[in-house]
Amino acid sequence: MRVTDRLLAHKDKMTPSERQLVSVLLDDYPMAGLGSITELASAASVSTTTVARMLQKTGFQGYPQFQAALRGEVKEMISGPVAKRDLWQNDLPEEHILNRYSQQTLANQKRTIDEVDPDEFDSFCNLLCDPNRRIFITGGRITGTLAQYLYLHLQMIRPDVRLLPVAASWTHDLLDVRKDDVLVALDVRRYENASLLIGQLCHEREAEIVLFTDQWRSPIHRLAKHTFAARIAVPSAWDSMAAILVLMECVIAEVQERLWDSVKERTDELEQAFDRTKLFRKFGQSSGS
């Protein structure tokens, strides 16, 4: 289990001071736990005894073991493709790639969906359905393709959806961000500086931020109203975005259903435009027509 999983799994059994300590750890995770035990206790306004007692409740033998687990997670967060492959290569099962890769991907999807709070999911969909809010979407070097996918669907579903391009021109788009707009950000390990800056600037403009990230959580989570953490590790040099895609498609399906009357009107207009531009081939259409 991740350190955050351990902390949250035992939070209901903790004292108020221990829960306060957990909140401090999660607000600046994992950096808050990488200093001395005295520094952590001071940051949370609790005693070092409280820190030790909380760690014991969550299954750690002491502060050194806790920090070792945190350092292991930090190493995973910043791992490049070569390091990821080396990690998997040491312990690959003897079966075809179709089996070992797909099984891990399916397991990632199941665990990701199991860990989503339905109330938080519904709250996010409420934001997307609010006609008074404009939606801005941003992704990074790899997640930009997912951002494009979400943008195309939400743009068909409702007006006032904008994709922030990876190029420097995104700064122009931020001029239009106002209070209560929504920024949907996608950011997975090795977290990108531009994505964090976009999140910070939108937060300063009082926009609501929703983050799709991995199990280690992008630094943007400290600014986000909602964070959806997906499992992305697979037996490969590159991470799998399949779990994030499934979660986004759940969002798309829910929002289009809630707004179906207006969605149908927009879709009908869009299909008429497709017909006029001959974008799609019709059955029975000759190659010369």
Side-chain angles (χ1 to χ4, degrees), residues 120-161:
E120 186 166 26
F121 178 89
D122 290 342
S123 180
F124 173 38
C125 292
N126 289 341
L127 292 177
L128 296 182
C129 291
D130 187 342
N132 296 316
R133 299 177 188 267
R134 291 175 300 176
I135 312 299
F136 295 81
I137 304 171
T138 187
R141 188 175 66 93
I142 298 297
T143 55
T145 56
L146 293 177
Q148 172 81 8
Y149 185 84
L150 180 62
Y151 162 73
L152 286 174
H153 283 82
L154 289 183
Q155 191 190 45
M156 288 188 286
I157 290 171
R158 53 155 292 168
D160 295 324
V161 180

Side-chain angles (χ1 to χ4, degrees), residues 25-57:
L25 280 167
L26 295 179
D27 284 344
D28 190 19
Y29 185 85
M31 301 308 296
L34 293 177
S36 69
I37 189 172
T38 304
E39 290 170 333
L40 175 58
S42 176
S45 300
V46 300
S47 67
T48 55
T49 303
T50 298
V51 177
R53 187 174 61 242
M54 186 277 291
L55 293 179
Q56 188 176 30
K57 285 184 178 180

Side-chain angles (χ1 to χ4, degrees), residues 174-229:
L174 292 191
L175 293 174
D176 296 329
V177 175
R178 64 191 180 210
K179 182 178 180 181
D180 294 331
D181 283 344
V182 179
L183 172 71
V184 181
L186 293 98
D187 192 32
V188 299
R189 67 175 178 181
R190 303 177 284 175
Y191 313 110
E192 298 185 35
N193 291 323
S195 298
L196 177 58
L197 181 56
I198 289 172
Q200 291 169 335
L201 292 172
C202 287
H203 183 70
E204 291 170 9
R205 288 176 169 267
E206 299 185 77
E208 302 282 12
I209 298 175
V210 179
L211 172 66
F212 286 91
T213 186
D214 53 42
Q215 60 259 47
W216 301 281
R217 301 198 300 176
S218 158
I220 299 172
H221 86 268
R222 291 192 286 273
L223 309 173
K225 180 182 180 68
H226 301 300
T227 295
F228 298 99

Side-chain angles (χ1 to χ4, degrees), residues 232-253:
I232 65 172
V234 287
S236 170
W238 292 276
D239 293 319
S240 168
M241 300 295 105
I244 295 179
L245 178 59
V246 168
L247 184 53
M248 287 198 327
E249 289 188 336
C250 290
V251 171
I252 292 167

Side-chain angles (χ1 to χ4, degrees), residues 74-105:
V74 170
K75 185 177 179 181
E76 287 187 89
M77 287 181 190
I78 63 176
S79 293
V82 174
K84 292 174 192 172
R85 182 186 180 277
D86 289 345
L87 178 65
W88 282 102
Q89 196 66 22
N90 294 332
D91 192 29
L92 281 178
E94 293 295 329
E95 55 185 4
H96 197 280
I97 183 64
L98 285 171
N99 295 322
R100 66 173 181 256
Y101 191 97
S102 62
Q103 287 171 7
Q104 183 60 48
T105 302

